[in-house]
Amino acid sequence: MTMTEWNIGAPLPPVAGGGPTRSKAELNRQVRRYATERRRDIRRRRIRPSIDRQARARESSDIIALARIWIPYGGVPAELIFERFGIVEHDFLERLWKAAETTGCASDLVRELSSVYPRHTKPDD
């Protein structure tokens, strides 16, 4: 059937399995519902990056704060790192130094952190 032969106002053929045909009004409702959901998704995606940035900033400050608290004790125990952040020690160290770099930590704090937390580590195999 060519596009010129297509009858837009005609009822749809039955759905596979012998289901009922859909009326034009039902299709219009579905299209409106889809369009509404699509607009909501687009709005959420526009808002999401700022939420992600805020969450990353909060995590960065939490990592630095925890690392600072544990300096006198030789560093944060691996179990606590996993419990608090759900990551292994190697990933914690990477995030710690990235956070220290991006947040512009004071040089005395960076020196203290360096005395306990190595900057470059290889994951345990």
Side-chain angles (χ1 to χ4, degrees), residues 5-115:
E5 297 170 334
W6 190 266
N7 184 353
I8 302 293
L12 294 174
V15 180
T21 59
R22 294 183 185 150
S23 69
K24 190 173 182 180
E26 175 60 23
L27 284 175
N28 285 335
R29 277 192 296 275
Q30 287 179 347
V31 168
R32 281 194 304 274
R33 196 174 322 134
Y34 169 81
T36 301
E37 286 300 316
R38 179 79 175 129
R39 283 191 296 273
R40 280 188 196 137
D41 287 345
I42 289 169
R43 273 185 256 132
R44 282 186 201 121
R45 286 190 195 118
R46 286 184 193 142
I47 294 170
R48 189 84 188 145
S50 65
I51 294 170
D52 289 344
R53 276 193 300 274
Q54 291 170 352
R56 281 193 302 273
R58 190 171 29 259
E59 182 187 61
S60 293
S61 64
D62 290 348
I63 286 174
I64 291 170
L66 186 66
R68 186 179 207 176
I69 290 169
W70 282 89
I71 288 173
Y73 309 104
V76 183
E79 298 81 20
L80 183 57
I81 292 170
F82 186 77
E83 182 182 308
R84 291 282 299 273
F85 302 104
I87 57 177
V88 295
E89 189 174 15
H90 169 73
D91 294 335
F92 175 80
L93 294 172
E94 283 183 5
R95 290 185 190 185
L96 170 64
W97 290 113
K98 185 174 182 175
E101 182 181 303
T102 58
T103 60
C105 281
S107 58
D108 59 330
L109 176 57
V110 171
R111 223 177 359 269
E112 288 179 47
L113 292 170
S114 295
S115 69

